[in-house]
Amino acid sequence: MKIHIMPLWNGSNCQQNRLLICFALTAVFFCGSVSAEMRIWEDKSGISVQAEFVRELFGSVELKKPDGSRYSIPLENLSTQDMKYLRSRMPPEIELDVRTQKRGKVRNKEFVQESDVINVVTATVEIRQKSSAAYSGTLRAEVYLIGKEVATDDYRLSGKGTSQVQLTEANKRTFTFETSADFRVYEEYNKLETRGAEYDGYLVVVFDSLGNKLATKTDLSWLEEGEIDALRKFNIDSFFGENCRKRSVPRPRYSGARQEF
Amino acid sequence: MKRLIHKTKGIIKGAPTAVLVSAGIHIAIIMVAGGLVVFTAIKKSDKKFVPPPPVDRPKMDLKKPRVKTKKASKPRATQRISSKSVASMPDIQLPDVSTAGSGMGGGVGGYELVPDTAGMSMFGGTKSMAVGNDFEGTFYSLRYDRRGKKTSIDDPQYKGIIRRFVDLDWNPYVFSPYYRGPQKLYTTQIFIPVVFSEFGPSYFGIPSGPDFDPYLWCVHYKGKIMRKEGGKYRFWGFGDDVLLVRVNGKVVLNASYGLFRSELCEWKRHEEDYKYFMGTAEAAVGDWFELEPGVPVEMEVLIGEIPGGEFCAYLVVEDADEDYPVNQQGMPILPVFKTAEIPETVKDKIKYTLIPGEADLDSDLMFNVY
């Protein structure tokens, strides 16, 4: 697993000079992301062998027989069925590009107080295939938009989106989708505190068709890689700390001052 | 004589042939008759084992599942939809509601096996989560007519329409000239702490934005309640601006905003009224009502917003046989009115705007019919 420190980010008008941390689970295309599975392989001449996939290297597939011996077949000699199997099981090498945009929500001003502001943050995720070999499987991409409560030190999962990703010739092996979430900050009715969440950052995770994590990208400096799975389990509007442990919902404060209005 | 004797002899001589002919005929008759008897016997036995015509069987097979499916999949609440005159109102085409923050949008591959409660709001969800125990909520905006054009209704007229609704036996026909929300919601609790009034309409499928005035609206919830053991109960609550509850055809709580509470419905003030804060103003206390053990009764709730701004509808219930802890103000912390456990995601949304001690979200007291 490799962690890239990305250059300073200028992608959003609200988040300037934020350090991007990219956990690139860049899967080495041939290093056994395909789960080892004993099966019958066959070449075009009809010769078959029981073996498990080891790797694809320099245009050949290396297989391991049950007795431990290695066997190599040039890709062009593989049967059509085996080629299909390889292309649907072997995850592609991908690149993730995430852009966020924040805009104020247009509301009916006649009924909204000035202190009540909703920003809509839209994350545009672009997934590009880097490797040249065709991949016929379907990837799954998940996007999480996280806010930070203004009245407490809680984080809040404000938006969650998912998309099935197919990288084909038709889309030039590039897939783009968007996820949005509202971030509202307002004066609470108890007139004692300003509450709500400001946008803090995003997390994008991409999985291959077998459910293996293929790539991860975030701009949340406090998010550790080992906590990503915990974050993914939260429902929208869940609250949590920097360690991604769930916290109880922050409540409005009570005060006797309420008696006055 | 001789001749005679001869004749007789002759006759006697020919006897075996006649006997043989006769015997042959008899044997033939017996064989034919025997054959007939055997044939008939076989024929009879064939008839005996003819299976009953199969036509009726599929009918029997089909009937059962049909009945079961109907029971299991169709919530009773749907069968109690308000009135036919309202159902004939034309639905107005509106743009899609923003999907912002609406869960795992995009509907991916069906790997979520548990019911998705993430999209449920405090006003309810678009699908039934507790079949048969739901309250069905219908949204009306009196600010707009049924075609979506603005009306000239003002605050006093709105109150008059609500009054007419109450006086006409809670007949939703009263709202038929006005805009009805495109989406009905289903809920098992009536408890909406303070939220901004624009969010109410948006949950019913109306996009919030500069083009919609989020005031002069109301929601009519209708369902059934029951207690297996029966009991005596009364509601407490507060509605900013409208909260009316009727059980079994009788209004048992008018917890609407104090300034115009009496304008919406005849109401006798209780001693405990206006003593404790709930949400943005003082709570009202309802009339006691009794439930027969195991007998479901109809219950309706009307909530509404008049001028726009903050909105809330707190509805809690007191059991006459229970003692309750009290909060900072000395008000009993009463259970939220519900007919099923409140989903955790909804509970979290309620907690975010509910001051601790104003209601009990976790009580066992439920008014479920099933």
Side-chain angles (χ1 to χ4, degrees), chain B residues 24-239:
Chain B
I25 290 167
H26 277 90
I27 286 167
I29 289 168
I30 288 166
M31 281 182 74
V32 170
L36 280 174
V37 168
V38 171
F39 182 71
T40 308
I42 290 166
K43 235 185 160 183
K44 273 185 182 173
S45 66
D46 276 354
K47 263 191 176 174
K48 197 177 176 181
F49 294 103
V50 169
V55 189
D56 290 340
R57 287 192 174 178
K59 266 190 182 174
M60 294 285 285
D61 287 340
L62 281 174
K63 258 191 176 176
K64 274 189 180 175
R66 253 187 218 164
V67 173
K68 277 186 182 173
T69 312
K70 199 175 177 184
K71 264 191 172 177
S73 66
K74 201 168 185 179
R76 283 173 67 91
T78 326
Q79 294 168 350
R80 295 194 297 268
I81 293 173
S82 33
S83 82
K84 282 180 184 173
S85 53
V86 171
S88 65
M89 288 168 67
D91 285 333
I92 297 163
Q93 295 298 317
L94 288 164
D96 286 344
V97 188
S98 163
T99 54
S102 59
M104 301 295 274
V108 168
Y111 58 90
E112 288 177 33
L113 298 174
V114 290
D116 181 18
T117 56
M120 286 192 76
S121 74
M122 293 184 284
F123 288 79
T126 54
K127 288 175 186 169
S128 166
M129 298 298 288
V131 177
N133 293 320
D134 296 294
F135 275 65
E136 184 185 73
T138 309
F139 176 91
Y140 302 95
S141 171
L142 279 54
R143 175 68 175 137
Y144 297 90
D145 68 13
R146 54 200 290 173
R147 298 194 179 279
K149 286 184 180 171
K150 284 185 181 175
T151 63
S152 58
I153 300 291
D154 57 14
D155 291 9
Q157 286 171 311
Y158 172 96
K159 291 169 201 164
I161 293 163
I162 299 293
R163 177 75 186 223
R164 193 159 163 254
F165 169 77
V166 172
D167 290 346
L168 291 177
D169 199 26
W170 291 53
N171 191 341
Y173 175 75
V174 170
F175 301 128
S176 61
Y178 307 105
Y179 175 69
R180 190 184 64 180
Q183 176 69 60
K184 291 195 179 206
L185 293 184
Y186 301 89
T187 186
T188 53
Q189 81 283 331
I190 308 285
F191 194 81
I192 305 160
V194 183
V195 294
F196 189 67
S197 69
E198 79 175 319
F199 299 121
S202 71
Y203 293 126
F204 287 88
I206 301 158
S208 57
D211 300 328
F212 188 83
D213 292 342
Y215 76 127
L216 297 175
W217 56 261
C218 65
V219 181
H220 180 206
Y221 286 101
K222 206 170 175 186
K224 285 193 175 182
I225 57 169
M226 191 188 84
R227 290 287 292 162
K228 267 183 190 170
E229 58 275 29
K232 189 178 173 186
Y233 307 92
R234 68 174 175 178
F235 289 115
W236 292 49
F238 173 62

Side-chain angles (χ1 to χ4, degrees), chain A residues 1-4 6 21-33 91-96 130 139-140 203-208 211-218 224-226 228-229 232:
Chain A
M1 194 141 316
K2 203 157 101 177
I3 296 179
H4 295 298
M6 302 293 283
I21 297 180
C22 176
F23 308 112
L25 301 169
T26 24
V28 193
F29 188 38
F30 10 72
C31 280
S33 290
E93 194 177 358
I94 59 168
E95 268 182 348
L96 276 180
K130 274 171 71 182
L139 306 179
R140 192 180 81 236
L203 165 70
V204 179
V205 194
V206 182
F207 299 88
D208 68 14
N212 299 312
K213 212 177 283 174
L214 202 59
T216 306
K217 192 167 185 178
T218 181
E224 301 286 335
E225 193 180 351
I228 287 173
D229 285 341
R232 290 179 54 233

